[in-house]
Amino acid sequence: MTAAAQADPGRPPADADPGLYGPGSVTWQCHGDPMMWIAGVRALYLQALHPRAVRGVLENSDFRDDAWGRLLRTADFVGTITYGTTDAAEKAGARVRRIHARLTATDPATGTRFPVDDPDLLLWVHCAQIDSFLHVLRRSGVPLTRAQADRYVDENRTNARLVGLDPEQVPADTAALAAYFERVRPELAAGPDARAVDAFLRRPPVHPLLRPARALVWSPLAALAYGSLPPYAHRLYGRPAPSARGTTLLLRLTGLLLRAIPAGLRWKLPPGHILRAIRRLGPDSRPRACTLRESAAILDGPGEAQHDNGGGTRTWRRAD
């Protein structure tokens, strides 16, 4: 061990690869949060409202038969591009692009075939995912200021590039992301494919012995993900949702409970990217919500931060 390493054991090796994001990014600090799992389910609900996007998934995957595997593969991809090395992230993106390039699906409205890697569809999937991640994290108590939320959206244009999009055509801040959803809303509908996804997410098939666990754990979390959707999504699905205030309180409570589980224990679950990143970069790279609060004080300064309660109305409070 060198004298420098002995003097500062938290310093990463000089040749350590921080990957595409690195510990200095908002994304690095956010994607280790346990509420990302609920955010991922919300993203599935939202993505399913685009008729061509959901048809592309259902025609080309074993979603109904291996939904758990699909969720884990999605988590693995997000973990790889966030916490993996640059080479691992680029290879993961190339693998996704190769797969998508071979796939087509049938337009449910016209019956014509379309490529799954249509940029409009890739953009929808990306924006629904980023919006869901950001929305659930903020609404459940992660201390992101408006400036940090904008940085998060901007940083994740890297994610968009990896799946085949031109980053210049991807929303770069929360205002552009909101404008995108306003523009695309007329194309959304809850057709048979979306309703199949909804039915699956409410009651995924499990072994009979696991049905009590599904009712006790999965069903409330899926209901919470559904409740966190924007009001127009509830109207399209045709299912009522709890009040916006009640959903926010449940998200805060769930966040508190899940974050009370020691991070070292949570991160041992598959796919385990965070622990490998910490070993690679040193203990100072550990994702922590308090890092966001400290960064806000240093970088963003005091002022007003805009927060959405998820019900379509906005409330204001002073930035932490």
Side-chain angles (χ1 to χ4, degrees):
M1 181 179 295
T2 65
Q6 290 177 329
D8 187 1
R11 179 182 298 173
D15 59 349
D17 177 9
L20 296 178
Y21 290 92
S25 68
V26 175
T27 300
W28 183 282
Q29 304 303 332
C30 283
H31 282 186
D33 192 271
M35 292 297 286
M36 285 285 289
W37 289 100
I38 294 176
V41 177
R42 182 190 191 267
L44 292 177
Y45 271 118
L46 194 54
Q47 289 164 351
L49 290 176
H50 194 296
R52 289 202 303 157
V54 68
R55 177 60 62 89
V57 171
L58 294 184
E59 279 194 18
N60 291 285
S61 74
D62 52 357
F63 178 81
R64 293 183 180 90
D65 298 325
D66 186 31
W68 305 117
R70 180 177 175 82
L71 287 172
L72 286 175
R73 288 190 293 273
T74 300
D76 181 57
F77 179 74
V78 173
T80 298
I81 64 176
T82 305
Y83 299 109
T85 63
T86 300
D87 182 63
E90 294 289 353
K91 285 181 177 177
R95 183 166 57 252
V96 168
R97 295 194 301 273
R98 284 196 304 271
I99 293 171
H100 286 172
R102 300 195 301 263
L103 303 179
T104 62
T106 305
D107 189 311
T110 66
T112 59
R113 302 293 291 180
F114 64 88
V116 169
D117 62 355
D118 179 331
D120 288 342
L121 301 184
L122 294 178
L123 183 60
W124 166 253
V125 170
H126 169 81
C127 289
Q129 183 181 69
I130 296 307
D131 177 77
S132 293
F133 290 173
L134 184 59
H135 180 90
V136 169
L137 290 172
R138 296 184 83 187
R139 198 170 170 188
S140 66
V142 173
L144 285 170
T145 66
R146 181 169 49 186
Q148 289 173 328
D150 285 340
R151 285 169 53 197
Y152 178 82
V153 175
D154 185 36
E155 287 169 2
N156 278 279
R157 292 195 292 167
T158 296
N159 178 338
R161 174 185 65 79
L162 289 174
V163 299
L165 287 165
D166 176 0
E168 294 301 318
Q169 304 303 314
V170 177
D173 56 32
T174 53
L177 187 62
Y180 167 79
F181 280 104
E182 285 298 317
R183 188 168 67 252
V184 81
R185 274 177 60 177
E187 302 175 30
L188 305 182
D193 291 338
R195 296 187 185 281
V197 171
D198 179 27
F200 176 88
L201 291 174
R202 293 167 72 183
R203 290 178 61 85
V206 296
H207 190 280
L209 293 177
L210 295 177
R211 287 174 185 168
R214 179 182 66 186
L216 181 65
V217 179
W218 175 263
S219 294
L221 295 183
L224 186 55
Y226 178 83
S228 70
L229 289 167
Y232 70 81
H234 298 144
R235 290 192 294 269
L236 289 174
Y237 275 115
R239 287 206 291 120
S243 70
R245 183 181 295 275
T247 297
T248 299
L249 290 175
L250 280 174
L251 284 167
R252 289 293 181 105
L253 177 60
T254 304
L256 286 172
L257 292 174
L258 292 180
R259 291 166 192 142
I261 302 172
L265 178 61
R266 288 189 276 108
W267 294 339
K268 288 181 180 178
L269 296 173
H273 295 292
I274 296 176
L275 290 179
R276 289 196 291 273
I278 294 173
R279 287 195 293 267
R280 185 175 80 248
L281 298 173
D284 287 349
S285 65
R286 175 188 177 95
R288 294 176 299 175
C290 63
T291 300
L292 295 168
R293 193 179 300 272
E294 292 161 1
S295 298
I298 296 170
L299 299 176
D300 300 333
E304 300 296 329
Q306 194 171 24
H307 294 260
D308 191 338
N309 69 3
T313 59
R314 293 189 179 274
T315 56
W316 294 80
R317 69 173 176 82
R318 184 161 296 278
D320 295 317

